[in-house]
Amino acid sequence: MQSRVSSENIVELVSSLRKQVAPQWEEVDQIALANQRRVLKAFHTHRVSDYHFAAGTGYGYNDSGRDVLEAIYAEVFGGEAAFVRPQLASGTHAISACLFGLLRPGDELLYASGAPYDTLQHVIGGDDAPPSSLKAWGIGYRHVELNPDDTLDITGIINSISPQTKVVALQRSRGYSWRRALSVREIGEATQAIKAAHPHVAVFVDNCYGEFVESLEPGHVGVDLLAGSLIKNPGAGIAPAGGYIVGREDLVALAADAAVAPGIGQEVGAMFDLTRTLLQGIFLAPHVTAQAVKGAILMAAAMEKLGFAVSPTWDEARSDIVQAIRFESPEPLIAFCQGIQQAGPVDHFVSPVPAPMPGYADKVVMAAGTFIQGSSIELSADGPIRPPYIAYLQGGLTVEHCQIAVEGAIAAVQAAMKERED
């Protein structure tokens, strides 16, 4: 049963909730401090200097700044090597490079965390697989559903691995689904069990939305390869584009060749004068991610207080920055996204409406008043127009902005529900 708050009391309500969530915010601050120590240590280890900021041109041969950036990513995320480039257009592009790099015709990909989110379906290939998909290249695919309590079915995963299974993939974040994110501990336990039973298999993690939310990353618990987007957590809202791949040296080389060209993937690629920005982004990322997590906790507390189902709850452990709110009908979902848009610093006057989106089966309503197009570490919200009409909130560069957006979202949802009743 949803409750209502008068417009003049919304600010008071949200302000009061800051006291309720203070213990959770303190835990987030401690995680941010641990992550900041690790990032700073990597900067010191690799002796970052201003000469690393110089811009390369053309092929980008012998780019010492790019080398240092990738060395820092490898150390921070627990890998032997890294491939970090602005040419990687998205997290999906980085993941696709990993899968095409590691898999060959006759091999099989096994997703161990249920079916992956919408945009990867075209990479894998369904009934209407594009001629560029894994399926079109004769690469098989299966997935293992999560347990009813959203935990990994480790026994089911191990029993599903065949001699053809080359890669077992895990999606850390929830995607467009009502399930919690996988913790690094769970990922580590699954990885150890998989490798004990099937040493020939490589474990890959889609790390999008999860970076710096916990004090360890999947690379620290035995994962062979992980990938993500620079316009999510590790770019801290200042990286204008790009993606990263981190892991075993041989596997990173294969993924880099798939992204660029065989034999030269790691050796070429001008950085377009972005090395300083990308270095500064990962330096700021622990703090900025913590701000986003605090904002998500505050939103969860507020929407739960008003009677909406949320996942995770405000006092639940988190492993990604995503906050899901279930509305049960399209009008409040759309209004919620419109409220988030109106609180944005860019295009606040735009009113998002459901529309087709590349890679998605349903129309999607998407709010993103961001400085970087599609930047999920900046405050944004979206959701597919399908039951049970869930909004997925992510990001927030400052907790102050998050609080203002919480207030605006509540006001917009309440107005939409009142209009629907009238």
Side-chain angles (χ1 to χ4, degrees), residues 203-223:
V203 177
F204 166 76
V205 169
D206 169 1
N207 207 32
C208 288
Y209 302 103
E211 302 92 345
F212 301 114
V213 177
E214 296 189 62
S215 56
L216 292 175
E217 297 293 335
H220 297 124
V221 294
V223 165

mmCIF file with all atom_site columns, all heavy atoms in Angstrom, residues 203-223:
data_model
loop_
_atom_site.group_PDB
_atom_site.id
_atom_site.type_symbol
_atom_site.label_atom_id
_atom_site.label_alt_id
_atom_site.label_comp_id
_atom_site.label_asym_id
_atom_site.label_entity_id
_atom_site.label_seq_id
_atom_site.pdbx_PDB_ins_code
_atom_site.Cartn_x
_atom_site.Cartn_y
_atom_site.Cartn_z
_atom_site.occupancy
_atom_site.B_iso_or_equiv
_atom_site.pdbx_formal_charge
_atom_site.auth_seq_id
_atom_site.auth_comp_id
_atom_site.auth_asym_id
_atom_site.auth_atom_id
_atom_site.pdbx_PDB_model_num
ATOM 1   N N   . VAL A 1 203 ? 36.906 -18.518 -16.684 1.00 0.00 ? 203 VAL A N   1
ATOM 2   C CA  . VAL A 1 203 ? 35.786 -17.831 -16.042 1.00 0.00 ? 203 VAL A CA  1
ATOM 3   C C   . VAL A 1 203 ? 35.870 -16.341 -16.380 1.00 0.00 ? 203 VAL A C   1
ATOM 4   O O   . VAL A 1 203 ? 36.884 -15.687 -16.119 1.00 0.00 ? 203 VAL A O   1
ATOM 5   C CB  . VAL A 1 203 ? 35.798 -18.033 -14.517 1.00 0.00 ? 203 VAL A CB  1
ATOM 6   C CG1 . VAL A 1 203 ? 34.651 -17.247 -13.868 1.00 0.00 ? 203 VAL A CG1 1
ATOM 7   C CG2 . VAL A 1 203 ? 35.683 -19.516 -14.179 1.00 0.00 ? 203 VAL A CG2 1
ATOM 8   N N   . PHE A 1 204 ? 34.789 -15.840 -16.955 1.00 0.00 ? 204 PHE A N   1
ATOM 9   C CA  . PHE A 1 204 ? 34.702 -14.441 -17.370 1.00 0.00 ? 204 PHE A CA  1
ATOM 10  C C   . PHE A 1 204 ? 33.608 -13.739 -16.580 1.00 0.00 ? 204 PHE A C   1
ATOM 11  O O   . PHE A 1 204 ? 32.531 -14.302 -16.366 1.00 0.00 ? 204 PHE A O   1
ATOM 12  C CB  . PHE A 1 204 ? 34.395 -14.341 -18.866 1.00 0.00 ? 204 PHE A CB  1
ATOM 13  C CG  . PHE A 1 204 ? 33.964 -12.968 -19.306 1.00 0.00 ? 204 PHE A CG  1
ATOM 14  C CD1 . PHE A 1 204 ? 34.891 -11.950 -19.444 1.00 0.00 ? 204 PHE A CD1 1
ATOM 15  C CD2 . PHE A 1 204 ? 32.618 -12.681 -19.549 1.00 0.00 ? 204 PHE A CD2 1
ATOM 16  C CE1 . PHE A 1 204 ? 34.500 -10.668 -19.827 1.00 0.00 ? 204 PHE A CE1 1
ATOM 17  C CE2 . PHE A 1 204 ? 32.218 -11.414 -19.929 1.00 0.00 ? 204 PHE A CE2 1
ATOM 18  C CZ  . PHE A 1 204 ? 33.166 -10.407 -20.071 1.00 0.00 ? 204 PHE A CZ  1
ATOM 19  N N   . VAL A 1 205 ? 33.852 -12.489 -16.170 1.00 0.00 ? 205 VAL A N   1
ATOM 20  C CA  . VAL A 1 205 ? 32.860 -11.711 -15.431 1.00 0.00 ? 205 VAL A CA  1
ATOM 21  C C   . VAL A 1 205 ? 32.573 -10.399 -16.149 1.00 0.00 ? 205 VAL A C   1
ATOM 22  O O   . VAL A 1 205 ? 33.498 -9.637  -16.469 1.00 0.00 ? 205 VAL A O   1
ATOM 23  C CB  . VAL A 1 205 ? 33.322 -11.427 -13.983 1.00 0.00 ? 205 VAL A CB  1
ATOM 24  C CG1 . VAL A 1 205 ? 32.422 -10.398 -13.311 1.00 0.00 ? 205 VAL A CG1 1
ATOM 25  C CG2 . VAL A 1 205 ? 33.327 -12.720 -13.177 1.00 0.00 ? 205 VAL A CG2 1
ATOM 26  N N   . ASP A 1 206 ? 31.291 -10.158 -16.404 1.00 0.00 ? 206 ASP A N   1
ATOM 27  C CA  . ASP A 1 206 ? 30.817 -8.840  -16.825 1.00 0.00 ? 206 ASP A CA  1
ATOM 28  C C   . ASP A 1 206 ? 30.759 -7.995  -15.550 1.00 0.00 ? 206 ASP A C   1
ATOM 29  O O   . ASP A 1 206 ? 29.880 -8.168  -14.718 1.00 0.00 ? 206 ASP A O   1
ATOM 30  C CB  . ASP A 1 206 ? 29.437 -8.998  -17.461 1.00 0.00 ? 206 ASP A CB  1
ATOM 31  C CG  . ASP A 1 206 ? 28.727 -7.672  -17.700 1.00 0.00 ? 206 ASP A CG  1
ATOM 32  O OD1 . ASP A 1 206 ? 29.305 -6.610  -17.389 1.00 0.00 ? 206 ASP A OD1 1
ATOM 33  O OD2 . ASP A 1 206 ? 27.572 -7.703  -18.170 1.00 0.00 ? 206 ASP A OD2 1
ATOM 34  N N   . ASN A 1 207 ? 31.716 -7.075  -15.424 1.00 0.00 ? 207 ASN A N   1
ATOM 35  C CA  . ASN A 1 207 ? 31.881 -6.319  -14.178 1.00 0.00 ? 207 ASN A CA  1
ATOM 36  C C   . ASN A 1 207 ? 31.159 -4.977  -14.196 1.00 0.00 ? 207 ASN A C   1
ATOM 37  O O   . ASN A 1 207 ? 31.318 -4.175  -13.268 1.00 0.00 ? 207 ASN A O   1
ATOM 38  C CB  . ASN A 1 207 ? 33.377 -6.084  -13.926 1.00 0.00 ? 207 ASN A CB  1
ATOM 39  C CG  . ASN A 1 207 ? 33.717 -5.917  -12.465 1.00 0.00 ? 207 ASN A CG  1
ATOM 40  O OD1 . ASN A 1 207 ? 33.078 -6.509  -11.588 1.00 0.00 ? 207 ASN A OD1 1
ATOM 41  N ND2 . ASN A 1 207 ? 34.723 -5.116  -12.168 1.00 0.00 ? 207 ASN A ND2 1
ATOM 42  N N   . CYS A 1 208 ? 30.371 -4.703  -15.233 1.00 0.00 ? 208 CYS A N   1
ATOM 43  C CA  . CYS A 1 208 ? 29.689 -3.414  -15.362 1.00 0.00 ? 208 CYS A CA  1
ATOM 44  C C   . CYS A 1 208 ? 28.840 -3.103  -14.140 1.00 0.00 ? 208 CYS A C   1
ATOM 45  O O   . CYS A 1 208 ? 28.143 -3.985  -13.629 1.00 0.00 ? 208 CYS A O   1
ATOM 46  C CB  . CYS A 1 208 ? 28.809 -3.412  -16.604 1.00 0.00 ? 208 CYS A CB  1
ATOM 47  S SG  . CYS A 1 208 ? 29.708 -3.338  -18.163 1.00 0.00 ? 208 CYS A SG  1
ATOM 48  N N   . TYR A 1 209 ? 28.902 -1.883  -13.686 1.00 0.00 ? 209 TYR A N   1
ATOM 49  C CA  . TYR A 1 209 ? 28.165 -1.336  -12.547 1.00 0.00 ? 209 TYR A CA  1
ATOM 50  C C   . TYR A 1 209 ? 28.711 -1.782  -11.185 1.00 0.00 ? 209 TYR A C   1
ATOM 51  O O   . TYR A 1 209 ? 28.243 -1.288  -10.153 1.00 0.00 ? 209 TYR A O   1
ATOM 52  C CB  . TYR A 1 209 ? 26.664 -1.682  -12.601 1.00 0.00 ? 209 TYR A CB  1
ATOM 53  C CG  . TYR A 1 209 ? 25.946 -1.214  -13.819 1.00 0.00 ? 209 TYR A CG  1
ATOM 54  C CD1 . TYR A 1 209 ? 25.631 -2.093  -14.853 1.00 0.00 ? 209 TYR A CD1 1
ATOM 55  C CD2 . TYR A 1 209 ? 25.564 0.117   -13.952 1.00 0.00 ? 209 TYR A CD2 1
ATOM 56  C CE1 . TYR A 1 209 ? 24.964 -1.666  -15.996 1.00 0.00 ? 209 TYR A CE1 1
ATOM 57  C CE2 . TYR A 1 209 ? 24.888 0.555   -15.089 1.00 0.00 ? 209 TYR A CE2 1
ATOM 58  C CZ  . TYR A 1 209 ? 24.599 -0.339  -16.107 1.00 0.00 ? 209 TYR A CZ  1
ATOM 59  O OH  . TYR A 1 209 ? 23.940 0.084   -17.228 1.00 0.00 ? 209 TYR A OH  1
ATOM 60  N N   . GLY A 1 210 ? 29.678 -2.699  -11.183 1.00 0.00 ? 210 GLY A N   1
ATOM 61  C CA  . GLY A 1 210 ? 30.133 -3.233  -9.903  1.00 0.00 ? 210 GLY A CA  1
ATOM 62  C C   . GLY A 1 210 ? 31.442 -2.676  -9.392  1.00 0.00 ? 210 GLY A C   1
ATOM 63  O O   . GLY A 1 210 ? 31.761 -2.833  -8.205  1.00 0.00 ? 210 GLY A O   1
ATOM 64  N N   . GLU A 1 211 ? 32.212 -2.025  -10.252 1.00 0.00 ? 211 GLU A N   1
ATOM 65  C CA  . GLU A 1 211 ? 33.553 -1.583  -9.872  1.00 0.00 ? 211 GLU A CA  1
ATOM 66  C C   . GLU A 1 211 ? 33.518 -0.671  -8.642  1.00 0.00 ? 211 GLU A C   1
ATOM 67  O O   . GLU A 1 211 ? 32.728 0.267   -8.574  1.00 0.00 ? 211 GLU A O   1
ATOM 68  C CB  . GLU A 1 211 ? 34.219 -0.836  -11.031 1.00 0.00 ? 211 GLU A CB  1
ATOM 69  C CG  . GLU A 1 211 ? 34.346 -1.645  -12.299 1.00 0.00 ? 211 GLU A CG  1
ATOM 70  C CD  . GLU A 1 211 ? 33.183 -1.479  -13.265 1.00 0.00 ? 211 GLU A CD  1
ATOM 71  O OE1 . GLU A 1 211 ? 32.126 -0.963  -12.840 1.00 0.00 ? 211 GLU A OE1 1
ATOM 72  O OE2 . GLU A 1 211 ? 33.333 -1.875  -14.439 1.00 0.00 ? 211 GLU A OE2 1
ATOM 73  N N   . PHE A 1 212 ? 34.366 -0.971  -7.671  1.00 0.00 ? 212 PHE A N   1
ATOM 74  C CA  . PHE A 1 212 ? 34.584 -0.161  -6.459  1.00 0.00 ? 212 PHE A CA  1
ATOM 75  C C   . PHE A 1 212 ? 33.396 -0.141  -5.497  1.00 0.00 ? 212 PHE A C   1
ATOM 76  O O   . PHE A 1 212 ? 33.414 0.594   -4.515  1.00 0.00 ? 212 PHE A O   1
ATOM 77  C CB  . PHE A 1 212 ? 34.990 1.280   -6.813  1.00 0.00 ? 212 PHE A CB  1
ATOM 78  C CG  . PHE A 1 212 ? 36.243 1.357   -7.633  1.00 0.00 ? 212 PHE A CG  1
ATOM 79  C CD1 . PHE A 1 212 ? 36.210 1.826   -8.942  1.00 0.00 ? 212 PHE A CD1 1
ATOM 80  C CD2 . PHE A 1 212 ? 37.456 0.947   -7.102  1.00 0.00 ? 212 PHE A CD2 1
ATOM 81  C CE1 . PHE A 1 212 ? 37.369 1.886   -9.702  1.00 0.00 ? 212 PHE A CE1 1
ATOM 82  C CE2 . PHE A 1 212 ? 38.618 1.004   -7.861  1.00 0.00 ? 212 PHE A CE2 1
ATOM 83  C CZ  . PHE A 1 212 ? 38.578 1.475   -9.157  1.00 0.00 ? 212 PHE A CZ  1
ATOM 84  N N   . VAL A 1 213 ? 32.375 -0.947  -5.740  1.00 0.00 ? 213 VAL A N   1
ATOM 85  C CA  . VAL A 1 213 ? 31.272 -1.031  -4.783  1.00 0.00 ? 213 VAL A CA  1
ATOM 86  C C   . VAL A 1 213 ? 31.678 -1.870  -3.575  1.00 0.00 ? 213 VAL A C   1
ATOM 87  O O   . VAL A 1 213 ? 31.236 -1.623  -2.458  1.00 0.00 ? 213 VAL A O   1
ATOM 88  C CB  . VAL A 1 213 ? 30.001 -1.596  -5.453  1.00 0.00 ? 213 VAL A CB  1
ATOM 89  C CG1 . VAL A 1 213 ? 28.874 -1.764  -4.442  1.00 0.00 ? 213 VAL A CG1 1
ATOM 90  C CG2 . VAL A 1 213 ? 29.552 -0.679  -6.587  1.00 0.00 ? 213 VAL A CG2 1
ATOM 91  N N   . GLU A 1 214 ? 32.532 -2.868  -3.810  1.00 0.00 ? 214 GLU A N   1
ATOM 92  C CA  . GLU A 1 214 ? 33.111 -3.649  -2.717  1.00 0.00 ? 214 GLU A CA  1
ATOM 93  C C   . GLU A 1 214 ? 34.608 -3.343  -2.651  1.00 0.00 ? 214 GLU A C   1
ATOM 94  O O   . GLU A 1 214 ? 35.165 -2.679  -3.522  1.00 0.00 ? 214 GLU A O   1
ATOM 95  C CB  . GLU A 1 214 ? 32.879 -5.135  -2.947  1.00 0.00 ? 214 GLU A CB  1
ATOM 96  C CG  . GLU A 1 214 ? 31.401 -5.531  -2.947  1.00 0.00 ? 214 GLU A CG  1
ATOM 97  C CD  . GLU A 1 214 ? 31.238 -7.038  -2.947  1.00 0.00 ? 214 GLU A CD  1
ATOM 98  O OE1 . GLU A 1 214 ? 31.684 -7.694  -1.989  1.00 0.00 ? 214 GLU A OE1 1
ATOM 99  O OE2 . GLU A 1 214 ? 30.678 -7.557  -3.941  1.00 0.00 ? 214 GLU A OE2 1
ATOM 100 N N   . SER A 1 215 ? 35.253 -3.861  -1.634  1.00 0.00 ? 215 SER A N   1
ATOM 101 C CA  . SER A 1 215 ? 36.678 -3.567  -1.443  1.00 0.00 ? 215 SER A CA  1
ATOM 102 C C   . SER A 1 215 ? 37.575 -4.495  -2.245  1.00 0.00 ? 215 SER A C   1
ATOM 103 O O   . SER A 1 215 ? 38.797 -4.312  -2.259  1.00 0.00 ? 215 SER A O   1
ATOM 104 C CB  . SER A 1 215 ? 37.044 -3.638  0.041   1.00 0.00 ? 215 SER A CB  1
ATOM 105 O OG  . SER A 1 215 ? 36.697 -4.896  0.578   1.00 0.00 ? 215 SER A OG  1
ATOM 106 N N   . LEU A 1 216 ? 37.011 -5.499  -2.903  1.00 0.00 ? 216 LEU A N   1
ATOM 107 C CA  . LEU A 1 216 ? 37.749 -6.373  -3.806  1.00 0.00 ? 216 LEU A CA  1
ATOM 108 C C   . LEU A 1 216 ? 37.016 -6.450  -5.135  1.00 0.00 ? 216 LEU A C   1
ATOM 109 O O   . LEU A 1 216 ? 35.815 -6.186  -5.215  1.00 0.00 ? 216 LEU A O   1
ATOM 110 C CB  . LEU A 1 216 ? 37.894 -7.782  -3.216  1.00 0.00 ? 216 LEU A CB  1
ATOM 111 C CG  . LEU A 1 216 ? 38.771 -7.948  -1.977  1.00 0.00 ? 216 LEU A CG  1
ATOM 112 C CD1 . LEU A 1 216 ? 38.694 -9.395  -1.481  1.00 0.00 ? 216 LEU A CD1 1
ATOM 113 C CD2 . LEU A 1 216 ? 40.212 -7.563  -2.259  1.00 0.00 ? 216 LEU A CD2 1
ATOM 114 N N   . GLU A 1 217 ? 37.750 -6.836  -6.167  1.00 0.00 ? 217 GLU A N   1
ATOM 115 C CA  . GLU A 1 217 ? 37.185 -7.029  -7.498  1.00 0.00 ? 217 GLU A CA  1
ATOM 116 C C   . GLU A 1 217 ? 37.282 -8.504  -7.894  1.00 0.00 ? 217 GLU A C   1
ATOM 117 O O   . GLU A 1 217 ? 38.044 -9.264  -7.287  1.00 0.00 ? 217 GLU A O   1
ATOM 118 C CB  . GLU A 1 217 ? 37.933 -6.159  -8.512  1.00 0.00 ? 217 GLU A CB  1
ATOM 119 C CG  . GLU A 1 217 ? 37.823 -4.665  -8.265  1.00 0.00 ? 217 GLU A CG  1
ATOM 120 C CD  . GLU A 1 217 ? 36.421 -4.111  -8.469  1.00 0.00 ? 217 GLU A CD  1
ATOM 121 O OE1 . GLU A 1 217 ? 35.637 -4.728  -9.229  1.00 0.00 ? 217 GLU A OE1 1
ATOM 122 O OE2 . GLU A 1 217 ? 36.106 -3.064  -7.866  1.00 0.00 ? 217 GLU A OE2 1
ATOM 123 N N   . PRO A 1 218 ? 36.520 -8.939  -8.903  1.00 0.00 ? 218 PRO A N   1
ATOM 124 C CA  . PRO A 1 218 ? 36.558 -10.348 -9.297  1.00 0.00 ? 218 PRO A CA  1
ATOM 125 C C   . PRO A 1 218 ? 37.949 -10.871 -9.632  1.00 0.00 ? 218 PRO A C   1
ATOM 126 O O   . PRO A 1 218 ? 38.243 -12.054 -9.416  1.00 0.00 ? 218 PRO A O   1
ATOM 127 C CB  . PRO A 1 218 ? 35.633 -10.390 -10.520 1.00 0.00 ? 218 PRO A CB  1
ATOM 128 C CG  . PRO A 1 218 ? 34.650 -9.299  -10.263 1.00 0.00 ? 218 PRO A CG  1
ATOM 129 C CD  . PRO A 1 218 ? 35.448 -8.199  -9.615  1.00 0.00 ? 218 PRO A CD  1
ATOM 130 N N   . GLY A 1 219 ? 38.818 -10.006 -10.144 1.00 0.00 ? 219 GLY A N   1
ATOM 131 C CA  . GLY A 1 219 ? 40.179 -10.452 -10.434 1.00 0.00 ? 219 GLY A CA  1
ATOM 132 C C   . GLY A 1 219 ? 40.959 -10.861 -9.202  1.00 0.00 ? 219 GLY A C   1
ATOM 133 O O   . GLY A 1 219 ? 41.927 -11.634 -9.298  1.00 0.00 ? 219 GLY A O   1
ATOM 134 N N   . HIS A 1 220 ? 40.553 -10.368 -8.045  1.00 0.00 ? 220 HIS A N   1
ATOM 135 C CA  . HIS A 1 220 ? 41.243 -10.717 -6.796  1.00 0.00 ? 220 HIS A CA  1
ATOM 136 C C   . HIS A 1 220 ? 40.826 -12.085 -6.267  1.00 0.00 ? 220 HIS A C   1
ATOM 137 O O   . HIS A 1 220 ? 41.434 -12.579 -5.312  1.00 0.00 ? 220 HIS A O   1
ATOM 138 C CB  . HIS A 1 220 ? 40.964 -9.657  -5.726  1.00 0.00 ? 220 HIS A CB  1
ATOM 139 C CG  . HIS A 1 220 ? 41.483 -8.305  -6.083  1.00 0.00 ? 220 HIS A CG  1
ATOM 140 N ND1 . HIS A 1 220 ? 40.679 -7.188  -6.132  1.00 0.00 ? 220 HIS A ND1 1
ATOM 141 C CD2 . HIS A 1 220 ? 42.724 -7.880  -6.440  1.00 0.00 ? 220 HIS A CD2 1
ATOM 142 C CE1 . HIS A 1 220 ? 41.403 -6.135  -6.481  1.00 0.00 ? 220 HIS A CE1 1
ATOM 143 N NE2 . HIS A 1 220 ? 42.635 -6.543  -6.684  1.00 0.00 ? 220 HIS A NE2 1
ATOM 144 N N   . VAL A 1 221 ? 39.776 -12.693 -6.832  1.00 0.00 ? 221 VAL A N   1
ATOM 145 C CA  . VAL A 1 221 ? 39.286 -13.972 -6.311  1.00 0.00 ? 221 VAL A CA  1
ATOM 146 C C   . VAL A 1 221 ? 39.360 -15.076 -7.365  1.00 0.00 ? 221 VAL A C   1
ATOM 147 O O   . VAL A 1 221 ? 38.617 -16.052 -7.303  1.00 0.00 ? 221 VAL A O   1
ATOM 148 C CB  . VAL A 1 221 ? 37.850 -13.830 -5.768  1.00 0.00 ? 221 VAL A CB  1
ATOM 149 C CG1 . VAL A 1 221 ? 37.837 -12.921 -4.546  1.00 0.00 ? 221 VAL A CG1 1
ATOM 150 C CG2 . VAL A 1 221 ? 36.878 -13.316 -6.831  1.00 0.00 ? 221 VAL A CG2 1
ATOM 151 N N   . GLY A 1 222 ? 40.267 -14.921 -8.338  1.00 0.00 ? 222 GLY A N   1
ATOM 152 C CA  . GLY A 1 222 ? 40.563 -16.018 -9.247  1.00 0.00 ? 222 GLY A CA  1
ATOM 153 C C   . GLY A 1 222 ? 39.918 -15.971 -10.611 1.00 0.00 ? 222 GLY A C   1
ATOM 154 O O   . GLY A 1 222 ? 40.162 -16.864 -11.437 1.00 0.00 ? 222 GLY A O   1
ATOM 155 N N   . VAL A 1 223 ? 39.105 -14.949 -10.902 1.00 0.00 ? 223 VAL A N   1
ATOM 156 C CA  . VAL A 1 223 ? 38.472 -14.844 -12.220 1.00 0.00 ? 223 VAL A CA  1
ATOM 157 C C   . VAL A 1 223 ? 39.544 -14.625 -13.286 1.00 0.00 ? 223 VAL A C   1
ATOM 158 O O   . VAL A 1 223 ? 40.510 -13.893 -13.083 1.00 0.00 ? 223 VAL A O   1
ATOM 159 C CB  . VAL A 1 223 ? 37.447 -13.694 -12.213 1.00 0.00 ? 223 VAL A CB  1
ATOM 160 C CG1 . VAL A 1 223 ? 37.036 -13.298 -13.616 1.00 0.00 ? 223 VAL A CG1 1
ATOM 161 C CG2 . VAL A 1 223 ? 36.238 -14.081 -11.372 1.00 0.00 ? 223 VAL A CG2 1
#
